[in-house]
């Protein structure tokens, strides 16, 4: 019997573990190590953040699901990897630290034959002074929708702001990114328009000033360098559509901005042209930058090999081309295909945890040398597809031997469907439904836009909202491993 | 002045983009039209999902 250990129980980790458990059966062991006791459908946190869903509607307990799947579950966080073992064992192992109530802080080691790092990101609030509390957690100056608990807090703060407006006090809303190197602009995009929608419903929109602050060099970049769509016989940039929505909903924008400091009611920022400025707010939701979770790696003799296994940002190195150099030299083929670690063949990464070769958007920096550009998104559908491909590879390695064919899932060859909510309501809601193909533009295959415009489209409307709502129930159904779950695509 | 055109004068950024008129906005929440779009979008998304697996 061989053992696969999956670090992380998010979209990528959960997909990897559940498919591996199904394909391997009882002949091999699948272990999941995740610090959370609940699974969270993160895209719906937006609706929790505006009080339109409860935490219970977007989460469920992992333990019974893993028990049903025959997966061994540790509620713990991984601390370090020993891919060569140590002085007393030749077997690879991971050191974990329990987060489970009653066992907090206790350490244990788990030996593995194969390991998949799908830890997701560390929400690096402390990268921006005042955005974090100095201890790695969110500070008091802003709110967040990155976790279900954060979203619940955000909804309470939003309710207070609405009450103030009903009492005659104007409120300034500032939503966007909290650092020059953030990703996940889409979540902030959804949140600002869901707030705007709720303010309209509450009859206080005229009492609110709304502003978007983002590290994108243009609206509609979304960390993917934007996209081009066929509309009305034209091929047009997502910039035009994003600007149109902001103008229609009377939301001002500040782009190319690195949020450098957050204070009570005020952010300081630096723009791409080097100018500095300040923006006041009454309510702010600023997405933090992401980093790796801080896993360490040690060689058999105890030497620190973290730099060998992980990139400087803490994400795990995989089969990507990390030496592409300048922007002009970037190619779609730089992006990883198998997600296998180049040093240790029994180690893979999936989802946000893998180190991308470079960003997707055009790199930008201010004259002061401050990099201000979105980092690449690796969430949602790509995370699930990568997780499934990695599960397939590991299962083949375990059952067919170490020369088994590895399955591939390059982000430069896969598309993604994305539905960005712009307000919730069965008949009044809207969402931007988009597909991109491929996620990472390939200018050699698709000269001009880098993507196949036959499969890259977007439109806003009630249909998009219905789709997002259906996907909410569909993916939670799938994640609970209910009957027919494998038929639902990632 | 048409209501949907009021925002053009609120900022220079707004003035340089496009803003949907009342018909386009109405169609966004027209149940019959959106049901048709629902079917069309789902077909497009299924094709992209199939190409990606």
């Amino acid at each position: 019997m061989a053992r696969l250990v999956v670090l992380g129980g998010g979209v990528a980790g959960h997909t990897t573990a559940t498919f591996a458990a199904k394909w391997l059966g009882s002949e091999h062991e699948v272990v999941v190590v995740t610090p959370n006791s609940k699974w969270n459908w993160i895209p719906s946190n937006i609706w929790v953040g505006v009080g339109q869903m409860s935490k219970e509607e977007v989460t469920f307990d992992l333990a019974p699901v893993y028990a049903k799947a025959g997966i061994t579950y540790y509620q713990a966080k991984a601390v370090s990897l020993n891919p060569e073992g140590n002085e007393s064992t030749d077997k690879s192992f991971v050191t974990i630290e329990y987060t489970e109530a009653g066992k907090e802080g206790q350490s244990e080691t788990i030996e593995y034959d194969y390991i998949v790092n799908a830890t997701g990101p560390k929400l690096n609030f402390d990268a921006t002074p005042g955005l974090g509390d100095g201890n790695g957690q969110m500070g008091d100056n802003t709110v967040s929708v990155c976790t279900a608990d954060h979203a619940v807090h955000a909804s309470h703060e939003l309710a207070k702001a609405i009450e103030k407006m009903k009492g005659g006090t104007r409120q300034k809303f500032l939503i966007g990114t909290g650092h020059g190197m953030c990703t996940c602009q889409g979540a902030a995009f959804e949140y600002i328009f869901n707030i705007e929608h709720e303010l309209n419903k509450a009859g206080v929109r005229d009492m609110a000033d709304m502003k978007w602050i983002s590290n994108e060099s243009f609206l509609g970049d979304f960390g993917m360098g934007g996209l081009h769509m066929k509309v009305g016989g034209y091929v047009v940039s997502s910039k035009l559509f994003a600007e149109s929505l902001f103008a229609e909903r009377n939301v001002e924008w500040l782009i190319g901005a690195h949020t450098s400091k957050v204070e009570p009611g005020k952010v300081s920022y630096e723009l791409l042209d080097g100018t500095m400025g300040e923006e006041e707010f009454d309510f702010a939701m600023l997405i933090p930058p992401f980093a790796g979770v801080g896993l360490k790696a040690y060689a058999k003799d105890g030497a620190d090999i973290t730099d060998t296994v992980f990139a400087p940002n803490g994400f795990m190195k995989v089969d990507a081309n990390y030496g592409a150099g300048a922007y002009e030299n970037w190619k779609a083929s730089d992006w990883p295909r198998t997600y296998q670690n180049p040093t240790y063949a029994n180690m893979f990464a999936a989802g946000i945890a893998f180190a991308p070769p470079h960003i997707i958007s055009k790199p930008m920096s201010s004259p002061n040398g401050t990099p201000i550009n979105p980092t690449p998104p690796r969430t949602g559908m790509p995370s699930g597809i990568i997780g499934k491909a990695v599960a397939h590879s590991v299962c083949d390695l375990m059952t067919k031997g170490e020369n088994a064919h590895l399955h591939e899932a390059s982000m430069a060859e896969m598309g993604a469907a994305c539905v960005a909510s712009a307000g919730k309501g069965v008949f009044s809601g809207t969402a931007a439904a988009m597909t991109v193909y491929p996620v990472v533009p390939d200018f050699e295959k698709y000269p001009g836009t880098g993507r196949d415009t036959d499969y890259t489209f977007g439109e806003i409307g009630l249909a998009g909202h219905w789709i997002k709502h259906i996907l909410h129930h569909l993916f939670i159904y799938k994640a609970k491993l209910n009957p027919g779950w494998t038929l639902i695509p990632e | 002045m048409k209501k949907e055109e009021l925002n053009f004068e609120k900022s220079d950024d707004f003035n340089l983009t496009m803003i949907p008129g009342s018909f386009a906005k109405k169609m966004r929440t027209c149940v019959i039209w959106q049901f048709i779009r629902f079917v069309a979008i789902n077909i497009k998304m299924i094709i992209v999902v199939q190409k990606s697996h």
Side-chain angles (χ1 to χ4, degrees), chain A residues 319-489:
Chain A
D319 61 322
N321 174 20
Y322 294 108
Y327 175 70
E328 293 71 26
N329 301 324
W330 294 0
K331 290 181 178 173
S333 55
D334 296 338
W335 286 76
R337 307 179 70 83
T338 67
Y339 304 89
Q340 187 178 41
N341 181 266
T343 310
Y344 298 103
N346 64 344
M347 195 183 278
F348 291 78
I352 293 174
F354 85 81
H358 42 68
I359 62 175
I360 301 175
S361 306
K362 192 171 183 177
M364 303 259 181
S365 60
S366 75
N368 310 314
T370 307
I372 305 174
N373 39 233
T375 46
R378 309 175 307 277
T379 52
M381 185 174 155
S383 265
I385 293 175
I386 292 167
K388 190 174 180 180
V390 167
H392 227 136
S393 295
V394 173
C395 289
D396 282 356
L397 289 167
M398 291 169 83
T399 56
K400 298 176 183 171
E402 59 186 25
N403 294 322
H405 169 72
L406 296 182
H407 293 258
E408 299 180 350
S410 168
M411 283 176 60
E413 293 171 10
M414 75 168 80
C418 173
V419 187
S421 173
K424 190 171 183 292
V426 178
F427 298 111
S428 65
T430 52
M434 294 178 278
T435 65
V436 287
Y437 190 87
V439 178
V440 175
D442 184 342
F443 288 98
E444 290 176 337
K445 194 170 181 182
Y446 307 107
T449 70
R451 296 195 176 93
D452 189 333
T453 49
D454 287 338
Y455 302 107
T456 301
F457 77 96
E459 68 177 73
I460 187 167
L462 181 59
H465 171 71
W466 290 339
I467 292 170
K468 186 171 173 84
H469 212 123
I470 289 168
L471 291 179
H472 164 90
H473 293 290
L474 209 57
F475 283 118
I476 288 178
Y477 180 92
K478 177 186 169 83
K480 285 182 175 176
L481 311 184
N482 285 323
W485 67 274
T486 56
L487 300 174
I488 301 168

Side-chain angles (χ1 to χ4, degrees), chain B residues 2 5 10-11 16 24 27 30-31 35 38-40 44-47 49-50 52:
Chain B
K2 292 176 182 172
E5 294 174 8
K10 289 184 178 173
S11 90
L16 295 174
M27 293 305 278
C30 168
V31 174
F35 180 76
F38 176 81
V39 173
K44 287 181 176 183
M45 284 186 166
I46 287 167
I47 291 169
V49 168
Q50 282 180 333
S52 302

Side-chain angles (χ1 to χ4, degrees), chain A residues 186-268:
Chain A
F189 174 93
E190 289 188 271
Y191 196 51
I192 196 166
F193 289 113
N194 269 271
I195 288 180
E196 203 269 345
H197 183 74
E198 293 304 317
L199 298 184
N200 269 314
K201 279 164 62 180
V204 292
R205 178 63 182 91
D206 58 340
M207 294 295 289
D209 299 308
M210 304 194 70
K211 194 157 195 172
W212 170 258
I213 182 168
S214 168
N215 57 347
E216 302 160 288
S217 63
F218 62 90
L219 275 183
D221 180 291
F222 296 127
M224 302 187 297
L227 56 136
H228 289 79
M229 301 170 277
K230 277 184 185 169
V231 181
Y234 290 79
V235 177
V236 293
S237 165
S238 52
K239 175 179 185 286
L240 197 57
F241 284 96
E243 289 183 349
S244 173
L245 186 61
F246 278 72
E248 174 200 337
R249 307 277 282 262
N250 194 16
V251 177
E252 293 183 354
W253 63 82
L254 188 62
I255 49 172
H258 162 63
T259 302
S260 54
K261 189 179 177 185
V262 184
E263 297 170 271
K266 186 172 74 176
V267 300
S268 303

